Amino acid sequence: MDVHCMSIKGRDIISALDLKREEVELILNEAESMRNELKGRRCLHLADDKIVMTVFLEPSTRTRLSFQYAAAYLGARGIDFGATEMSSIQKGETFEDTVTMIDGYGPDVIVLRQSVPGNAKKAAEIAKAPIINAGDGANEHPTQALTDVYTIRREIGRLNGVKVGIMGDLKHGRTVSSLSYMLDRFDGNTITYIAPDELQVKPEVLGKLTRTKHSKAERVEDVIEELDVLYVTRIQKERFTDQKEYERLKGSYVISRGFLEKFRRRPIIMHPLPRVDELTVDVDGMREAKYFEQARNGVYVRMALLKEVMG
Ligand code: NCD
């Protein structure tokens, strides 16, 4: 790829590492202009003849809907694969055949979520249409990471020299790896991984960080006042092989208003959502709570990404 022309057109977006810093900045800047242009308008008509196929073989609310809204606001047609229960996957159709078949109808892009790490890449090898990975098991979730850095840039005002704490299930959370890689595109950021040992970040994620200083902490209270951002994540129940282990660890970290009010200096609170026990609803009314805004930001970021990928 020629960095100077920065064409994202036709490319698969499988990992946060697939985007260079300049490309991330281009997408975030476009997201910001989409946001402004959409004020008082329902559709920007930037992709009227395009078709966006969404295929969610694992549960999703925000990612699926924000892609569908993004397509609608661009003027593109969104076609959804529907629930797996309604598809021939139920009859035993293989993943490969499903991808070949979908691709054969001629979508301009396929947005894919499924549970097997690495299968987004496999789909990209099969399909002619570009694949956007909307979550492949515990591996990656690059468009969430774009949404996250867009939110950080809007709220903190920069993407360099930011101190981010990522808390919760760092072992199974795919947003954790993708956000780490995305922050590593910029300079002088620090990441503190806050979790009990059993749920700490995967060594292979740390191994891919080149610019970011990182450390681990067990107790959020020890580090919270040094952070600009506290990124809370859910314990990923569906990724535990031992449900007893899940029961033991759930609720090991709870961010509540009462907890946050103990500190004089407080970071903004982000969360990819859905939340379960780790973030209580009494935080919602606090100035620092940015997670619903973060979810809304996902629409603009995905508009920008879809527009670039579809050309
Ligand atoms: C996340 C995901 O699916 O990985 N949700 C999302 O896309 N906003 C986080 C999660 O499920 O915990």
Side-chain angles (χ1 to χ4, degrees):
M1 202 232 21
D2 179 357
V3 223
H4 300 292
C5 75
M6 278 203 304
S7 179
I8 301 173
K9 184 176 177 185
R11 275 180 31 206
D12 303 304
I13 308 295
I14 306 301
S15 163
L17 295 168
D18 291 343
L19 293 166
K20 296 185 164 55
R21 179 206 291 225
E22 296 74 17
E23 294 168 340
V24 174
E25 282 171 342
L26 173 93
I27 291 166
L28 303 191
N29 293 342
E30 275 207 329
E32 196 59 29
S33 43
M34 303 266 184
R35 166 184 230 114
N36 292 327
E37 281 169 47
L38 258 186
K39 284 186 184 130
R41 289 175 67 188
R42 299 302 285 160
C43 184
L44 300 186
H45 298 291
L46 291 170
D48 285 350
D49 56 347
K50 305 286 186 191
I51 296 176
V52 176
M53 173 94 214
T54 45
V55 183
F56 282 76
L57 309 180
E58 262 200 331
S60 171
T61 302
R62 270 151 295 274
T63 309
R64 182 169 48 86
L65 291 178
S66 61
F67 266 111
Q68 290 170 352
Y69 270 88
Y73 288 142
L74 286 172
R77 188 162 296 217
I79 296 184
D80 188 60
F81 183 79
T84 33
E85 293 73 27
M86 298 281 285
S87 75
S88 284
I89 292 174
Q90 280 307 97
K91 303 180 189 166
E93 184 159 64
T94 62
F95 177 70
E96 288 81 350
D97 282 1
T98 303
V99 173
T100 304
M101 213 274 317
I102 293 166
D103 188 51
Y105 289 142
D108 293 287
V109 62
I110 299 171
V111 180
L112 173 69
R113 167 173 293 189
Q114 52 72 50
S115 61
V116 183
N119 259 5
K121 189 156 175 275
K122 192 183 215 177
E125 281 154 15
I126 298 171
K128 282 196 213 65
I131 299 280
I132 297 180
N133 178 12
D136 60 335
N139 187 37
E140 277 215 52
H141 193 351
T143 68
Q144 180 66 45
L146 282 171
T147 303
D148 298 341
V149 293
Y150 177 62
T151 306
I152 294 173
R153 195 176 81 167
R154 295 193 94 237
E155 300 298 334
I156 307 291
R158 60 179 194 277
L159 272 177
N160 296 300
V162 185
K163 296 188 171 69
V164 181
I166 309 183
M167 189 189 99
D169 188 351
L170 313 181
K171 182 179 173 190
H172 303 104
R174 55 193 169 203
T175 63
V176 177
S177 42
S178 291
L179 174 58
S180 301
Y181 303 149
M182 205 56 93
L183 287 169
D184 197 52
R185 286 289 179 247
F186 299 87
D187 292 310
N189 293 325
T190 63
I191 305 179
T192 309
Y193 293 99
I194 308 157
D197 261 352
E198 299 91 316
L199 296 180
Q200 262 298 349
V201 63
K202 290 174 278 203
E204 71 242 40
V205 173
L206 300 182
K208 288 183 189 161
L209 301 183
T210 56
R211 298 185 183 85
T212 306
K213 281 201 235 107
H214 51 83
S215 58
K216 292 180 185 168
E218 255 194 78
R219 288 155 37 102
V220 62
E221 48 274 46
D222 294 342
V223 294
I224 192 166
E225 286 186 306
E226 292 152 29
L227 302 174
D228 300 308
V229 177
L230 177 62
Y231 187 96
V232 184
T233 67
R234 165 180 79 89
I235 311 272
Q236 308 277 302
K237 185 174 189 217
E238 67 276 29
R239 315 262 181 242
F240 279 75
T241 40
D242 180 359
Q243 285 305 305
K244 281 213 264 347
E245 181 78 348
Y246 168 74
E247 290 301 327
R248 191 173 68 77
L249 290 167
K250 80 166 192 209
S252 48
Y253 290 90
V254 180
I255 298 298
S256 64
R257 178 185 276 260
F259 173 79
L260 289 171
E261 280 176 347
K262 288 195 275 189
F263 303 98
R264 282 241 297 278
R265 187 176 182 279
R266 289 192 287 268
I268 62 162
I269 308 297
M270 292 175 57
H271 192 309
L273 302 175
R275 65 173 150 193
V276 192
D277 303 313
E278 66 286 350
L279 178 61
T280 60
V281 293
D282 56 5
V283 178
D284 298 0
M286 295 180 78
R287 270 187 30 239
E288 291 83 2
K290 300 297 177 193
Y291 30 92
F292 289 116
E293 182 64 17
Q294 182 185 353
R296 265 193 300 278
N297 288 341
V299 175
Y300 307 115
V301 164
R302 289 174 174 121
M303 285 176 76
L305 181 66
L306 283 177
K307 175 179 166 262
E308 285 303 317
V309 169
M310 295 193 297

